[in-house]
Amino acid sequence: MRRAPRFSQVRIHDALPSAQRLWRASLLAGAGLALLLPPAGAAQVGRTSDAPSANPAARAAEQSAEPAISTRQRAFASRRPAAGPQGRVVGGTPTSIRAVPWQVSVWSRGGAEGGFDCGGAILDALTIVTAAHCVEGVPIGDDPWDGGLGVTAGISDLAAGLPTDDPQDQVVVDARVHPQWNPSKVRTAGDLAVLELESPLVLDGVTAKAIALPPDVPLGDQPVLVGTPTLVSGYGRQSFSAAPSGGLFSLENMVDLPSVCPADDNAAALCARTPVGAACSGDSGGPLVTRTSPPILVGIVSNGPADCPPGEGESYVNLSAPENRRFLAGSATPPIAPRLLTQAAFVTAGGVSMVGQPVVCTALFDRGSTTWTIKNDGGQLLATGTGGASFTYLPADGDVGRLLTCEVTASNAGGVSYSGPASTAGPVMRPRPSQARPPSATPFRLSEAIVAATAARSVKRGKLVNVTVSLSNLFGAAESATVCVKHGTAKPKCLAPSLKGSQGTALTFRFRVSKRARVKSLQKFAVSAVIAGRNPNSGLVEQVNRATSVRARVTR
């Protein structure tokens, strides 16, 4: 294959309007998290390695041109700021390939959009792992100088190299993309690809070396990596506003709590950050490794905040998640971990938390078995439960003055999803004397039945959205209910579940959002419920009315 200085080509990223550039491509830019670079059939979304034209007139034409935006660019443009070509790690340290010999450059030149650069990591002599968005739209198997995909190993500077480097160029002849990859969404889940090279790399252990993956774990289990010291490396931007030099940089950071990752992705993603720098455009697909001996490859650079601000953190594909491990092992249908649809939230009667009156925690996942944990603000475990879309807790005298927190996880063979920041209720109060109930042979507490509703936070035009309504009947007073959900001008949808002998139930209503709904508008789903039960003291059937609502934002 041809060996020519790749920086002698036109830097496509310079020609893109700033709002269209994605930081996903450059890993170490100190300004933000645009980690991915567009592949060869897509306009550059990350740092580009191509150099600007020497001819001033041609240069001006390149800068004024606005090439068509690829699927990958649309997916990430919302997360990366306008700026020039992507460069290296923001706040990173110049690094020799001998310090990170598993690092490779994944690149393309020519093609409809000129070219792009990403990072990758060596799994073995014939196998490279990178980000799926680096492969999107690329004609795999073609010459990298004609729009195909190439890999360069053993190099510390893409523009010149060092005397101690031993560069190796290979053509990518096959690419497997994770089945959950969706190029129309900015997300980390599924942003994983495995590349097969035409010929094996020479793994001398000095400038080219395979990196080990995390130990395999039982299905449904997932090691906790929070607090793990890590190292990210790449050829991306050092500053979001400056072009990359082509040099290799590295940055020490640390794995953060799953709850700081994008909520719907955290079962298959991990987040890492440092106050002194960040990955940026051009770093997409690059390796995140543990600072252990030997190092372990725990993540692949995916995306982050648009302007790559230090301290904000980036999202990485979590290679410890069973979903991703099974894919790397060759499965075309790995078990898919749960995705969070709505974060945990407390619902209380009258908006206050009182002793003896139930508080209901709700959260919604698309799959998996839920586990609920209620604690007070001192960290004391108060209650746990499993299953369902809600969990009810009855505050006791010992909870007075304390805040309550609810944390929810959903797990299956693919991994564990977290509910995000724990919801808080309280402080718990004692009922006022006027609220005390007169003694009764059979206390009738129908008035304490609670209704809560959840739905996905966003929905596409013309697509279905599920609204889940949870009814809490903790004291068994309710025997029946009629629940209706209304959306827009359509006739309400109603269900009439039996509550007799149960502590509650969850109902699901499905609605289709109009194809003409305005993007970013809020779709309201109004919930009304009539809950009835027979008072054992009077023999009469009594009822209470409940009303609530939930909203979902429309996306394209």
Side-chain angles (χ1 to χ4, degrees):
M1 131 179 205
R2 282 173 280 179
R3 296 286 302 278
R6 287 189 278 138
F7 267 53
S8 66
Q9 308 301 306
V10 174
R11 193 177 269 116
I12 298 304
H13 181 80
D14 290 343
L16 289 178
S18 62
Q20 297 172 350
R21 289 189 288 268
L22 308 180
W23 89 238
R24 280 192 154 190
S26 45
L27 177 55
L28 296 181
L33 296 187
L35 301 179
L36 309 181
L37 286 179
Q44 258 180 316
V45 183
R47 78 177 165 84
T48 59
S49 307
D50 299 337
S53 298
N55 185 312
R59 175 66 172 163
E62 290 162 11
Q63 290 180 326
S64 62
E66 295 192 10
I69 300 305
S70 68
T71 301
R72 173 173 45 250
Q73 283 179 301
R74 287 194 297 271
F76 298 100
S78 61
R79 295 195 63 152
R80 76 173 287 234
Q86 299 163 5
R88 40 200 186 188
V89 176
V90 173
T93 301
T95 302
S96 165
I97 192 64
R98 294 180 172 230
V100 288
W102 48 83
Q103 172 83 47
V104 298
S105 172
V106 178
W107 57 278
S108 180
R109 294 294 176 269
E113 297 176 24
F116 68 90
D117 288 272
C118 279
I122 302 173
L123 294 185
D124 60 48
L126 283 170
T127 310
I128 304 297
V129 60
T130 187
H133 71 266
C134 293
V135 178
E136 180 72 22
V138 179
I140 302 300
D142 287 2
D143 188 321
W145 290 97
D146 295 325
L149 200 62
V151 164
T152 298
I155 191 166
S156 304
D157 192 309
L158 300 178
L162 300 178
T164 54
D165 290 351
D166 185 12
Q168 304 180 56
D169 289 336
Q170 287 294 335
V171 176
V172 175
V173 294
D174 190 28
R176 276 196 314 118
V177 175
H178 194 291
Q180 284 286 293
W181 168 243
N182 182 351
S184 66
K185 295 188 67 176
V186 179
R187 63 184 304 171
T188 306
D191 193 11
L192 186 62
V194 176
L195 312 180
E196 180 184 341
L197 305 181
E198 183 177 43
S199 301
L201 296 168
V202 177
L203 303 183
D204 60 8
V206 179
T207 60
K209 180 180 180 180
I211 182 75
L213 289 167
D216 208 356
V217 295
L219 288 177
D221 195 7
Q222 186 171 331
V224 177
L225 297 170
V226 175
T228 300
T230 46
L231 179 82
V232 63
S233 55
Y235 302 97
R237 295 190 194 183
Q238 269 193 316
S239 168
F240 185 77
S241 60
S245 67
L248 178 60
F249 283 71
S250 64
L251 179 70
E252 293 183 352
N253 53 13
M254 185 173 292
V255 175
D256 212 334
L257 294 169
S259 59
V260 307
C261 286
D264 61 342
D265 282 351
N266 63 40
L270 62 82
C271 291
R273 73 176 69 202
T274 174
V276 300
C280 198
S281 299
D283 292 326
S284 292
L288 179 74
V289 305
T290 60
R291 284 182 268 154
T292 56
S293 183
I296 304 294
L297 179 65
V298 293
I300 291 296
V301 179
S302 179
N303 63 84
D307 55 352
C308 312
E312 287 298 310
E314 309 95 51
S315 290
Y316 298 80
V317 180
N318 186 353
L319 299 186
S320 293
E323 171 184 324
N324 295 326
R325 289 305 309 278
R326 297 303 178 273
F327 171 74
L328 291 178
S331 174
T333 57
I336 304 304
R339 307 291 193 248
L340 179 66
L341 300 178
T342 59
Q343 292 188 347
F346 270 120
V347 180
T348 60
V352 295
S353 303
M354 290 193 178
V355 172
Q357 296 185 10
V359 295
V360 179
C361 181
T362 66
L364 190 61
F365 298 84
D366 66 350
R367 70 197 80 191
S369 175
T370 50
T371 299
W372 308 79
T373 303
I374 307 295
K375 298 180 180 180
N376 63 24
D377 51 4
Q380 179 184 1
L381 178 64
L382 302 177
T384 61
T386 58
S390 64
F391 181 76
T392 302
Y393 174 70
L394 195 65
D397 288 337
D399 298 322
V400 172
R402 307 303 297 262
L403 297 174
L404 306 178
T405 64
C406 174
E407 299 176 2
V408 194
T409 63
S411 61
N412 65 8
V416 182
S417 181
Y418 299 83
S419 64
S423 179
T424 303
V428 177
M429 300 182 294
R430 298 185 194 278
R432 296 189 296 273
S434 59
Q435 296 174 300
R437 299 177 181 81
S440 168
T442 307
F444 186 59
R445 306 177 73 169
L446 182 66
S447 62
E448 294 181 6
I450 292 178
V451 174
T454 56
R457 289 171 296 175
S458 61
V459 61
K460 291 184 178 180
R461 291 184 292 187
K463 299 298 183 180
L464 291 171
V465 60
N466 290 337
V467 177
T468 300
V469 179
S470 301
L471 288 81
S472 172
N473 186 31
L474 184 63
F475 302 106
E479 298 178 354
S480 64
T482 300
V483 181
C484 296
V485 181
K486 182 174 175 57
H487 173 230
T489 59
K491 182 180 178 180
K493 295 184 178 183
C494 299
L495 293 173
S498 173
L499 298 175
K500 193 169 184 178
S502 74
Q503 290 192 333
T505 188
L507 309 172
T508 299
F509 298 80
R510 303 189 78 185
F511 295 89
R512 187 176 297 278
V513 174
S514 171
K515 293 181 179 180
R516 296 187 295 274
R518 185 167 51 87
V519 174
K520 296 185 179 180
S521 65
L522 289 175
Q523 299 290 299
K524 180 180 179 180
F525 303 89
V527 180
S528 61
V530 179
I531 304 172
R534 187 176 298 276
N535 190 328
N537 302 308
S538 66
L540 300 176
V541 174
E542 299 181 11
Q543 68 180 37
V544 294
N545 297 311
R546 294 285 183 265
T548 185
S549 65
V550 64
R551 291 172 170 79
R553 189 173 297 279
V554 177
T555 60
R556 294 187 185 277

